[in-house]
Amino acid sequence: MLNIRRARTAAALVAMFMALIGSKAHAVPSFARQTGMACEACHTVFPELTHFGRMFKANGYTLDNLKQVRDINSQKEDLLLLSTLAPLSAMVQLSETWLNQPLPDVTDHGAHSQTSTTGFPQQLSLFYAGKIAPHLGAMIQITYDNASGSIGMDNTDVRFAKNLLLPEDRSLIYGISLNNNPTVQDLWNSTPAWGFPYASSNAVVSPIAAAQIDGTLAQDVAGLTAYLMWNESLYGEAGVYHSAKQGATNAITGAAGPLDGTTSNVIDGASPYARIAYERQWRRHDLEIGAYGASFRLYPGGTASAPAPLTGPVNRFSDIAEDLQYQFIGERDLFSLQATHIHESMQLDASYSSGVAINPSDDLNTTRITGTYYFRRKYGVTFGHFATSGSGDADLYPAAPAPGVITSANGRPDTHGWIGELNYLPWLNVKLSLQYVAYGEFNGGSTNYDGFGRNASANNTTYALLWLAF
Amino acid sequence: MIRRALIPFTVLMLVTGGLRADEIDGSLRLAAERIAVSTCATCHGPRGHSIAPKFPVLAGQHANYLLAQLQAFKAQTRGDPDALGYMWGMAAPLDDTTMAALADYYGRQRPEAGQRGDPALTARGQQIYQQGDATAGIPPCGACHGPHADGTGMYPRLAGQHVEYLMKQLRSFQSNLRNVAIMHGIAQVLPVHDMLAVATYLQSLGP
């Protein structure tokens, strides 16, 4: 019974997380206000970055063409350089989601939920995105999400960067990023935080399994990473992540911490993160290949009603990933391709000893590939394939005792499917999207994956979105 | 990155846009080089050798011409689409001294060898460039831009420029998005296939 309860708790946490990452995408017009440059300088179509956008980010979001409030000392050193216009912007996502088959209604066996959900808004975000001081800039996002009905911290990246002039007019950018989501600081759209889909429904059934680096720890950690970029082509980054839970309260202090056993998935100490990438441009083409990875030691912890001390064995997740991005940016035609493969090795000492995992070690592989075409940055179409597979573990990916959809009857994490999207942008900061997600397999099965007769295709989703950034 | 703070205050006292090369001292040159490498190079390439044809090659371009363009971007009087999208913002914080130093930096960079295109197009382009087309009312381009397309005074260097960029500019002259009377008159009577021919020929020319 304990196993089932923990397993259901884990499944519920996965579901909550997937709902959160369903609304990850962003576009930040305050950058345009600050630089005086149109969206197309930094984006093919938002939020995908061009080479210039990547360099703007690597340089700390500090390129600033606005009039400054200024102060100096007697040595003529700058004490203050503050833009006269604060780099603020907002984003609203209004959406409609249709599930292929309704969900079971938990209030009555045999009854069903509605098949469609209106998000009005699905998400509303406010940004401070731009320069704070010379060499120091930030993208700080605060989001209202209709799933939680509350306002919370969203993706954040505060960075310090400088540019060194090397012999033969080459450059070396060096910097530090403070951020709250592994890969949110990354420059390419082939890594998880900024990968396709850039927006998706938060009113859907999401797969049971995802790698830790694939958004699982988003907004629950704080990372400090240092990076170098040589000659705008070779990039290296290394750093560490530490737990920084939002909404956690220590029962004894009544304050924000220290974290204890009422909190789940807490990093033991600091977890290392590394990234390397090479980008090459030729004429209108731009190709990036790279690798990224992290190793997380997590205490499973618990909840307020079922605490588990943050001591003893830990679960170790070693994530190693490769990625690739190709862009063709023409005056009329734009094409981009992003791909990534993430391999996660799990050494589940904690979960195995407590009976939450059957196997002492498991593995998980995730592959995504996406191709996008835009005509005059106005009409776009995207197709993508996604697949997750791994070792079976009936406790880690549990069946449910009653109808439940984020479960696996055969204890497998395997999910694959296709995603298609049509986009229309009447203006560069207004996007209308129609997206369809089709599952060939869901949580280990194409038919009756939950043991209660639900097929993978029942979770197919149609999603219409109006995305305003201003 | 483009900041007046990079420029020594003594130099900031110079307010004319027509600085001579010998008036641009070492510290101003270094400041301009920093701006060029850290910011301009992202689009215009290392030392002005642009990689993407959306952005013009600047290496070896005449400083007077570059300065005039930067001033036009800042004054928002050059109105072709990429000028609005990119350079109006970029030029906004630049003072005349910095613009002059940047123009000088790119003027001092050595152009690279041209890229050959279709031989027939190149030959037709060469003919128009050197002789014009009297029956169509097209004057020889070389009369202003020089026999080797390396520019003269306020007429820009065109040798080695990207075909795509040249085509875009010719269309902008034609539609008057970029308002230059001489070029508007010529682009009005220059058929598209001849525009492409001239652009192909110009891209093939080296230093």
Side-chain angles (χ1 to χ4, degrees):
Chain A
M1 189 64 198
L2 181 64
N3 284 358
I4 291 172
R5 195 183 70 205
R6 287 190 178 178
R8 291 183 70 181
T9 302
L13 288 171
V14 167
M16 286 168 59
F17 145 71
M18 293 307 290
L20 282 173
I21 66 164
S23 54
K24 65 181 178 180
H26 320 102
V28 191
S30 57
F31 289 141
R33 294 190 182 100
Q34 174 176 298
T35 63
M37 301 168 78
C39 310
E40 68 170 276
C42 287
H43 298 283
T44 52
V45 169
F46 76 88
E48 183 182 317
L49 291 177
T50 61
H51 178 75
F52 186 88
R54 287 187 279 278
M55 294 308 103
F56 174 71
K57 185 174 180 177
N59 278 302
Y61 311 111
T62 54
L63 178 65
D64 186 355
N65 297 332
L66 293 172
K67 189 177 177 186
Q68 304 288 302
V69 178
R70 190 176 179 202
D71 194 12
I72 59 172
N73 61 18
S74 56
Q75 283 74 46
K76 296 181 180 176
E77 294 169 336
D78 281 319
L79 298 177
L80 181 71
L81 273 171
L82 190 65
S83 300
T84 49
L85 181 67
L88 301 174
S89 48
M91 178 185 97
V92 180
Q93 292 181 331
L94 311 174
S95 69
E96 187 72 21
T97 303
W98 296 268
L99 273 175
N100 192 23
Q101 296 290 326
L103 302 178
D105 189 329
V106 295
T107 61
D108 183 11
H109 291 301
H112 292 95
S113 70
Q114 293 185 322
T115 53
S116 67
T117 303
T118 302
F120 194 90
Q122 174 185 328
Q123 181 177 331
L124 188 155
S125 292
L126 297 175
F127 296 86
Y128 181 98
K131 192 185 84 172
I132 294 172
H135 310 295
L136 181 67
M139 193 210 72
I140 300 169
Q141 182 181 10
I142 296 171
T143 293
Y144 166 83
D145 170 66
N146 69 339
S148 64
S150 61
I151 295 171
M153 202 69 193
D154 208 326
N155 282 336
T156 291
D157 175 27
V158 180
R159 57 174 72 208
F160 173 85
K162 293 192 84 169
N163 202 314
L164 196 64
L165 183 62
L166 299 179
E168 299 184 357
D169 282 3
R170 297 183 190 279
S171 68
L172 179 71
I173 302 169
Y174 59 98
I176 293 170
S177 166
L178 268 170
N179 63 80
N180 66 350
N181 181 2
T183 72
V184 79
Q185 77 278 29
D186 199 51
L187 307 179
W188 293 273
N189 292 92
S190 44
T191 51
W194 299 105
F196 186 84
Y198 304 120
S200 54
S201 176
N202 63 352
V204 292
V205 184
S206 298
I208 197 168
Q212 297 296 323
I213 205 169
D214 200 10
T216 304
L217 299 172
Q219 291 95 46
D220 262 353
V221 293
L224 177 64
T225 64
Y227 61 94
L228 292 170
M229 187 159 206
W230 177 79
N231 207 29
E232 299 191 3
S233 60
L234 187 60
Y235 180 84
E237 181 186 1
V240 292
Y241 281 87
H242 186 62
S243 278
K245 295 283 183 182
Q246 304 299 303
T249 306
N250 182 287
I252 296 172
T253 65
L259 298 178
D260 62 13
T262 61
T263 313
S264 61
N265 293 323
V266 176
I267 292 176
D268 175 21
S271 293
Y273 169 90
R275 167 76 158 137
I276 188 164
Y278 176 73
E279 178 175 337
R280 180 169 180 264
Q281 298 178 83
W282 73 101
R283 295 191 66 76
R284 296 181 185 277
H285 310 271
D286 190 303
L287 178 68
E288 177 267 344
I289 55 171
Y292 56 101
S295 180
F296 300 102
R297 291 165 52 89
L298 301 180
Y299 290 113
T303 62
S305 58
L310 304 182
T311 57
V314 295
N315 293 326
R316 286 176 291 169
F317 299 85
S318 298
D319 294 356
I320 297 176
E322 308 85 42
D323 70 300
L324 177 147
Q325 175 172 281
Y326 166 78
Q327 292 176 313
F328 173 86
I329 303 176
E331 295 298 320
R332 188 191 67 178
D333 305 306
L334 296 90
F335 175 76
S336 59
L337 184 146
Q338 286 92 16
T340 192
H341 174 262
I342 304 169
H343 175 76
E344 180 167 81
S345 296
M346 295 176 253
Q347 190 65 41
L348 303 170
D349 295 349
S351 295
Y352 179 67
S353 63
S354 62
V356 175
I358 281 182
N359 305 323
S361 61
D362 280 310
D363 63 73
L364 191 69
N365 289 285
T366 301
T367 303
R368 282 192 289 269
I369 183 165
T370 302
T372 299
Y373 170 78
Y374 266 97
F375 179 77
R376 297 194 191 285
R377 289 185 163 88
K378 211 176 226 335
Y379 308 98
V381 57
T382 299
F383 281 107
H385 178 67
F386 54 88
T388 297
S389 63
S391 51
D393 191 315
D395 280 354
L396 197 61
Y397 313 116
V405 293
I406 306 177
T407 60
S408 173
N410 59 10
R412 297 201 64 86
D414 306 344
T415 294
H416 71 257
W418 294 88
I419 183 167
E421 187 175 289
L422 299 172
N423 289 298
Y424 169 61
L425 288 93
W427 299 278
L428 289 177
N429 63 332
V430 176
K431 187 188 272 188
L432 288 154
S433 300
L434 185 64
Q435 184 187 92
Y436 189 73
V437 180
Y439 292 101
E441 185 180 23
F442 197 90
N443 294 351
S446 56
T447 57
N448 192 26
Y449 76 84
D450 65 344
F452 291 90
R454 190 169 180 87
N455 297 334
S457 62
N459 295 330
N460 292 358
T461 305
T462 304
Y463 173 62
L465 172 70
L466 172 61
W467 185 350
L468 310 171
F470 49 95
Chain B
M1 220 60 62
I2 300 175
R3 295 188 294 105
R4 292 176 189 183
L6 288 171
I7 312 302
F9 293 109
T10 50
V11 179
L12 275 175
M13 297 303 289
L14 299 169
V15 291
T16 87
L19 281 180
R20 296 193 312 271
D22 59 1
E23 290 178 304
I24 299 171
D25 66 14
S27 60
L28 183 53
R29 278 207 170 136
L30 181 60
E33 187 179 359
R34 284 188 187 282
I35 295 170
V37 172
S38 65
T39 304
C40 311
T42 300
C43 294
H44 292 288
R47 297 178 173 182
H49 302 132
S50 116
I51 297 168
K54 181 180 184 67
F55 307 107
V57 174
L58 300 182
Q61 187 57 273
H62 293 280
N64 284 349
Y65 173 77
L66 285 176
L67 178 60
Q69 298 313 301
L70 284 169
Q71 289 171 330
F73 293 136
K74 184 171 181 177
Q76 302 186 353
T77 53
R78 180 171 160 179
D80 46 308
D82 289 338
L84 269 72
Y86 292 78
M87 290 307 298
W88 283 16
M90 274 291 175
L94 298 176
D95 54 51
D96 286 340
T97 309
T98 309
M99 287 193 266
L102 280 169
D104 172 70
Y105 169 83
Y106 283 112
R108 286 186 287 107
Q109 305 308 314
R110 183 172 168 75
E112 287 185 329
Q115 294 178 45
R116 290 185 180 175
D118 178 78
L121 266 181
T122 304
R124 170 65 180 157
Q126 182 177 11
Q127 183 185 20
I128 295 170
Y129 185 87
Q130 293 177 343
Q131 300 164 24
D133 187 338
T135 55
I138 302 168
C141 316
C144 293
H145 293 281
H148 306 294
D150 45 7
T152 54
M154 285 304 294
Y155 297 103
R157 173 189 174 82
L158 302 177
Q161 193 56 269
H162 296 297
V163 166
E164 294 89 338
Y165 179 76
L166 290 167
M167 290 295 289
K168 204 161 51 177
Q169 297 313 304
L170 285 167
R171 289 198 179 100
S172 292
F173 292 132
Q174 194 176 48
S175 63
N176 247 345
L177 280 172
R178 187 174 172 185
N179 190 1
V180 179
I182 297 173
M183 289 307 302
H184 177 64
I186 295 169
Q188 286 282 61
V189 294
L190 194 62
V192 172
H193 64 271
D194 281 345
M195 284 186 186
L196 184 61
V198 172
T200 304
Y201 167 67
L202 289 169
Q203 185 180 254
S204 73
L205 298 175

